Amino acid sequence: MLHTFVALVENKPGVLTRVASLFRRLNINITSLTVGESERSGVSRMTIVAEAAVDRAHRIMASLYKLENVLEVDDVGRHSAVVRELAIVKVAAGPKTRAHLFELAKVFHARIVDLAPESLMLEITGGASKIEGLVQVLVESDYQILEMARTGRMAMRRGQHTSRVLDALREVPATSESTLAGKPKHTALGKVSTEGHA
Amino acid sequence: MNNSDNANHADPAIYSHPTRLTGAETLWATLVGEGVRDVFGYPGGAILPAYDALRKFPLRHILVRHEQGAAHMADGYARASGRVGVAVATSGPGATNMVTGIANAMMDSIPLVCITGQVSSTVLGTDAFQEVDITGITLPITKHNYLIHRAEDIAPAIREAFLIAKSGRPGPVLIDITKNAQQASAIFDFAAAAPAAYRPHPMLRADASSIRDAAELLRSAKRPVILAGHGILQSNAMEQVRALAERMQIPVACTLLGLGAFPASHPLNLGMMGMHGESWVNQAIQQSDLLLACGMRFDDRVTGSLATYALQAKKIHIEIDPSEIGKNVPVDVALIGDLKEVLEVLLPALPKIKSSEWLQAIDAMKGDAAVRDIQNLPDDGHLYAAHVMHDLWHATSGNAIIATDVGQHQMWEAQYYKHEHPRTLITSGGLGTMGFALPAAIGAKIACPDKEVWVIAGDGGFQMTSPELATIAQEKIKVNLAVINNGYLGMVRQWQERFYDKNYECTPLLSPDFVKLAGAHGIAGATARKRPEAVSAIEAARKHDGAFLIDFRVEQEDSVYPMVPAGAALHEMIRRPKSDPLKNNQRRNPLVETASDV
């Protein structure tokens, strides 16, 4: 199945390699990986989409946490989440064929971001299926796609499951359920981040 | 050169008053501040500034003959003492030579801090002389690593490295320091360089309900077995495991790295499990209805075929690394945390049990195993490796630290040297590194100078790191060396005998005269071809003032049994032969005289 993880990592040289290398070591192909700034300074946010057996999510998360630069991991694929991708597509089009592309753009909620004598550029955001739908229509309508760039997926859980909320949960005193001597904090956090995997 | 007699110690005031030091001085000052007394290393261009400053610090530097040796020595040092081992090398080939040693430490979760010099940051990435991307190379075989190019970053990186190396599941950390960072200066503030508290793995989980579930499984089990692993030593949980076993009369099976974690002479100790475990140990596991795995990782060498592994047993897995849970074997209850802490919570929830029919059933499984044991066969004039191990154990009362390589001798040692105490067996488990024993023993002896230390290595593995004999001589290290010389790469030959139709391709080995080799280093030695000679050579070695090597010329085509063939079920083992162990083997290594020729 396709797994989607969000990882908050320290923004330092080599961290991307460490994360990517982990998947290589586990013999898992990364479908897409996006990195950018997060709401915290010095912390980058990665969305990693990878194809792996259903029962491997636990080990992937546990292994990610073993990397010293990884601060938080969330298996967002298991939760209701907004997943978006951006694509820009350059299509060969002269004055006679532009009009039809304008219509297509409107249907797909895409924008024309560049117009040249022999081509135009479409910008589209959405789920993967929406982007693939546009590409399919372009190909079936005999348009020539000159170039295409896709960002890969970005994901965020719906509701209040932000890293800031996780931080707040960490401050909550441990419940009587978590009684490991001397380490109630970790046990409490463990319960939050292993939710749904036990 | 032994620097322990240096009078020119760095001023202790540098730890209380921030002082300007060079990066090189900062490196050693931070190591000393972390409690390091001994480092294993080899100088070279990119680490020269550091070596230039070494003399000012109260550190003993052991000059190795190959950087792999430095990493293995630091590894042996860590295993014997429980402290972090430190290895130092220069850039390029110095760094890559350490790679095997670092991988070995990673596989067995050994805390190391490895320091490498690197070319100056101004030429980094230009393929400068002796430049190699060692942080890239060691990325998958270190717990963490650093590339440091500023003097002010050295102390914080080293202090964090020590914390990471020994916290959680321990492991090696590498710090690559550019030459210009060693030469530059910065304010050394030891206290300010302290790392933030270690972040335990966020998926640790041993809550009250899991503890309850585990206790319930233990209470209702009829045929429980404790699987005792390396984690017991790492967590210092020997007493807790023993208390649990005794409280509920649960027999204990040890992994290779778990040997010594539970006393060999204890009535509840079954012995080593796995590929070369005794038949009753593996039978007990296969018939068990509850396995309590303590700090072990269900390695393929202990499970045999996973499809047939302990199918009747529920499994409780106590483990500090969440990524090990369910990796090979699905478990019913996972208690993810420090073993000692978990057991201390679990113990009060368990009832006391007086006797157990299960123990009697396991006793019955032993059957004719004792008859098959070579210790109980009459002396036929041949010298078997098993005899050597037994006699070594007997002579040392089981109290020596034994460092072994990998292969047949390693398994015979594990079977016949009964380890009573933790940290007395130092062996390469996960990576299976030939050449480990000799340097690891040097490290162990430096860590524990009052302990008797033996190297046990095969004739093949010994030659992989035998230049370290010169280290022994230069540093005047008292270790005894037992070369189990059978003229073959024995374990590979055994597999060729069993699974490749006795096609002994590239396993016969022509070796130097090991006693003369020792002699060339000024190290005394003796050859033993018969059992009485073996016994007297062992005594001679123990009495001798300096290092002593014994070349044991053992039976050439002897094999280690019992043996679970790779991929077979754990209980489907090849037993020891009932009479002459070698009756099916006629061939001899044509390159080497045999014990029976003499």
Side-chain angles (χ1 to χ4, degrees):
Chain A
M1 67 171 277
L2 217 50
H3 295 273
T4 306
F5 300 97
V6 165
L8 293 175
V9 304
E10 289 179 291
N11 183 7
K12 286 183 179 171
V15 176
L16 176 60
T17 314
R18 289 174 197 276
V19 171
S21 178
L22 170 68
F23 283 84
R24 174 189 56 75
R25 221 150 73 219
L26 297 174
N27 194 24
I28 294 171
N29 188 39
I30 295 175
T31 307
S32 84
L33 196 166
T34 67
V35 199
E37 290 174 0
S38 71
E39 75 283 1
R40 300 192 215 171
S41 72
V43 175
S44 302
R45 183 180 176 114
M46 292 183 176
T47 305
I48 309 153
V49 181
E51 180 71 43
V54 180
D55 57 4
R56 296 199 73 181
H58 170 86
R59 179 134 189 266
I60 293 170
M61 280 181 70
S63 302
L64 277 168
Y65 269 126
K66 284 169 75 175
L67 302 175
E68 296 296 328
N69 302 115
V70 172
L71 307 174
E72 270 173 37
V73 187
D74 190 12
D75 182 2
V76 295
R78 303 224 168 189
H79 305 275
S80 171
V82 175
V83 182
R84 289 292 180 271
E85 185 173 359
L86 183 146
I88 43 180
V89 189
K90 192 185 282 174
V91 186
K96 289 177 187 165
T97 46
R98 274 179 206 146
H100 180 229
L101 282 170
F102 288 171
E103 275 174 41
L104 271 182
K106 198 177 274 177
V107 173
F108 278 92
H109 297 289
R111 297 198 301 147
I112 312 285
V113 290
D114 182 56
L115 191 67
E118 284 154 3
S119 71
L120 61 76
M121 200 188 297
L122 293 162
E123 176 197 289
I124 180 169
T125 60
S129 59
K130 181 178 167 191
I131 293 168
E132 276 144 26
L134 171 65
V135 171
Q136 190 185 354
V137 171
L138 288 171
V139 171
E140 284 174 1
S141 313
D142 287 331
Y143 282 105
Q144 193 191 354
I145 296 178
L146 300 170
E147 279 186 74
M148 179 167 74
R150 292 171 68 165
T151 57
R153 271 154 260 196
M154 289 197 296
M156 189 175 287
R157 275 218 232 177
R158 291 186 186 275
Q160 292 191 309
H161 296 273
T162 66
S163 54
R164 222 174 275 271
V165 172
L166 284 175
D167 268 353
L169 284 172
R170 222 187 255 145
E171 304 306 322
V172 174
T175 64
S176 57
E177 272 291 274
S178 47
T179 50
L180 237 197
K183 296 198 172 170
K185 269 184 162 181
H186 324 143
T187 319
L189 184 61
K191 288 185 69 165
V192 172
S193 48
T194 54
E195 182 179 289
H197 304 290
Chain B
M1 188 69 199
N2 182 342
N3 288 306
S4 58
D5 55 353
N6 281 346
N8 188 13
H9 294 175
D11 186 351
I14 60 172
Y15 297 99
S16 43
H17 299 88
T19 315
R20 181 163 289 274
L21 296 182
T22 65
E25 290 165 338
T26 300
L27 160 62
W28 304 121
T30 312
L31 292 179
V32 171
E34 287 290 334
V36 175
R37 296 191 291 269
D38 311 287
V39 297
F40 305 90
Y42 204 97
I47 194 77
L48 255 177
Y51 272 82
D52 190 48
L54 174 59
R55 223 161 231 293
K56 299 174 193 165
F57 295 88
L59 285 163
R60 178 174 183 184
H61 180 274
I62 287 86
L63 177 65
V64 302
R65 291 301 179 272
H66 186 286
E67 291 85 350
Q68 181 187 348
H72 287 332
M73 285 178 209
D75 183 322
Y77 184 94
R79 290 186 207 232
S81 66
R83 303 197 294 271
V84 178
V86 179
V88 183
T90 191
S91 63
T96 54
N97 278 347
M98 286 214 293
V99 166
T100 301
I102 296 170
N104 187 74
M106 185 69 175
M107 282 290 263
D108 288 351
S109 309
I110 303 301
L112 297 190
V113 168
C114 298
I115 312 278
T116 49
Q118 179 57 281
V119 300
S120 285
S121 60
T122 48
V123 293
L124 210 55
T126 65
D127 294 338
F129 179 65
Q130 291 192 329
E131 178 182 0
V132 78
D133 174 15
I134 195 62
T135 46
I137 289 170
T138 58
L139 192 134
I141 54 163
T142 50
K143 197 172 167 192
H144 194 56
N145 63 23
Y146 303 82
L147 171 58
I148 301 297
H149 56 87
R150 298 190 315 173
E152 56 266 43
D153 296 336
I154 292 175
I158 292 176
R159 296 208 64 183
E160 188 175 78
F162 272 81
L163 184 69
I164 290 172
K166 64 191 175 192
S167 303
R169 181 177 180 172
V173 180
L174 180 134
I175 306 168
D176 197 24
I177 308 176
T178 63
K179 189 171 185 177
N180 56 343
Q182 298 167 44
Q183 290 163 327
S185 68
I187 298 298
F188 173 69
D189 186 342
F190 188 73
Y198 186 73
R199 178 208 70 180
H201 196 294
M203 289 160 76
L204 297 184
R205 186 181 182 188
D207 53 54
S209 71
S210 312
I211 295 279
R212 268 199 305 275
D213 292 346
E216 184 48 43
L217 284 178
L218 279 160
R219 264 196 297 271
S220 54
K222 297 276 183 288
R223 302 185 303 281
V225 176
I226 292 173
L227 307 179
H230 195 199
I232 298 172
L233 303 176
Q234 305 268 28
S235 165
N236 212 10
M238 282 76 71
E239 275 176 42
Q240 287 72 16
V241 170
R242 185 173 174 160
L244 194 153
E246 289 175 350
R247 191 183 187 91
M248 300 198 73
Q249 291 296 301
I250 303 178
V252 177
C254 295
T255 67
L256 175 66
L257 293 186
L259 293 176
F262 192 77
S265 63
H266 196 286
L268 289 170
N269 192 336
L270 298 178
M272 183 175 71
M273 66 178 101
M275 185 174 267
H276 294 290
E278 297 296 341
S279 59
W280 65 84
V281 188
N282 291 338
Q283 294 284 5
I285 291 169
Q286 290 297 74
Q287 291 177 26
S288 164
D289 65 354
L290 177 68
L291 296 178
L292 176 63
C294 296
M296 54 85 73
R297 58 186 177 91
F298 294 102
D299 179 79
D300 54 80
R301 277 339 192 226
V302 307
T303 61
S305 159
L306 288 171
T308 54
Y309 180 70
L311 296 177
Q312 306 166 44
K314 299 264 187 195
K315 283 117 190 158
I316 302 171
H317 196 179
I318 312 180
E319 167 61 48
I320 197 162
D321 180 353
S323 75
E324 290 293 349
I325 303 298
K327 184 178 84 174
N328 297 334
V329 173
V331 295
D332 299 276
V333 178
L335 299 172
I336 316 174
D338 177 74
L339 180 63
K340 187 176 185 169
E341 290 177 22
V342 170
L343 288 178
E344 275 174 354
V345 178
L346 179 60
L347 269 167
L350 301 174
K352 277 191 181 141
I353 291 175
K354 285 244 164 62
S355 68
S356 148
E357 287 171 22
W358 171 229
L359 292 175
Q360 292 159 24
I362 295 175
D363 257 346
M365 288 176 206
K366 292 186 179 174
D368 65 349
V371 180
R372 292 165 184 259
D373 194 320
I374 195 162
Q375 302 306 339
N376 298 316
L377 295 181
D379 188 346
D380 56 4
H382 298 255
L383 182 62
Y384 294 93
H387 287 150
V388 176
M389 305 307 166
H390 174 86
D391 294 344
L392 256 174
W393 166 72
H394 191 258
T396 58
S397 312
N399 286 323
I401 294 178
I402 309 284
T404 66
D405 255 35
V406 171
Q408 286 187 318
H409 72 278
Q410 179 192 33
M411 292 297 109
W412 277 313
E413 196 280 347
Q415 291 177 342
Y416 291 104
Y417 196 99
K418 311 294 182 192
H419 288 274
E420 280 299 295
H421 308 293
R423 303 191 179 281
T424 56
L425 171 59
I426 291 172
T427 193
S428 169
L431 196 66
T433 311
M434 290 171 71
F436 174 73
L438 173 50
I442 294 173
K445 184 67 181 179
I446 300 289
C448 306
D450 300 330
K451 294 278 261 179
E452 179 176 351
V453 177
W454 281 80
V455 174
I456 301 182
D459 42 336
F462 187 78
Q463 291 180 72
M464 286 202 173
T465 51
S466 58
E468 302 300 345
L469 285 171
T471 308
I472 289 178
Q474 182 168 348
E475 294 289 334
K476 299 186 173 52
I477 293 165
K478 168 58 180 169
V479 290
N480 296 319
L481 307 112
V483 181
I484 307 303
N485 185 352
N486 59 5
Y488 280 104
L489 301 175
M491 189 58 95
V492 182
R493 186 210 59 75
Q494 177 172 342
W495 281 54
Q496 288 171 332
E497 176 191 333
R498 276 281 159 192
F499 313 119
Y500 294 89
D501 199 23
K502 288 198 180 184
N503 178 20
Y504 294 164
E505 187 61 51
C506 297
T507 42
L509 202 60
L510 180 67
S511 297
D513 181 325
F514 290 113
V515 174
K516 282 186 184 159
L517 182 66
H521 292 86
I523 294 171
T527 303
R529 292 184 170 84
K530 309 252 178 208
R531 196 153 184 197
E533 291 173 9
V535 173
S536 56
I538 290 169
E539 273 321 305
R542 299 188 72 219
K543 282 190 190 126
H544 188 75
D545 224 11
F548 195 98
L549 182 146
I550 308 171
D551 181 4
F552 291 100
R553 302 288 178 88
V554 298
E555 275 305 321
Q556 296 202 341
E557 293 197 24
D558 194 6
S559 292
V560 181
Y561 298 113
M563 178 187 194
V564 180
L570 192 57
H571 57 282
E572 290 167 355
M573 65 205 88
I574 305 165
R575 300 285 305 276
R576 288 198 180 90
K578 273 190 173 164
S579 54
D580 178 5
L582 299 181
K583 76 172 176 217
N584 296 322
N585 287 345
Q586 309 302 327
R587 294 177 61 175
R588 291 287 183 272
N589 174 355
L591 305 174
V592 181
E593 58 163 318
T594 72
S596 47
D597 293 340
V598 179

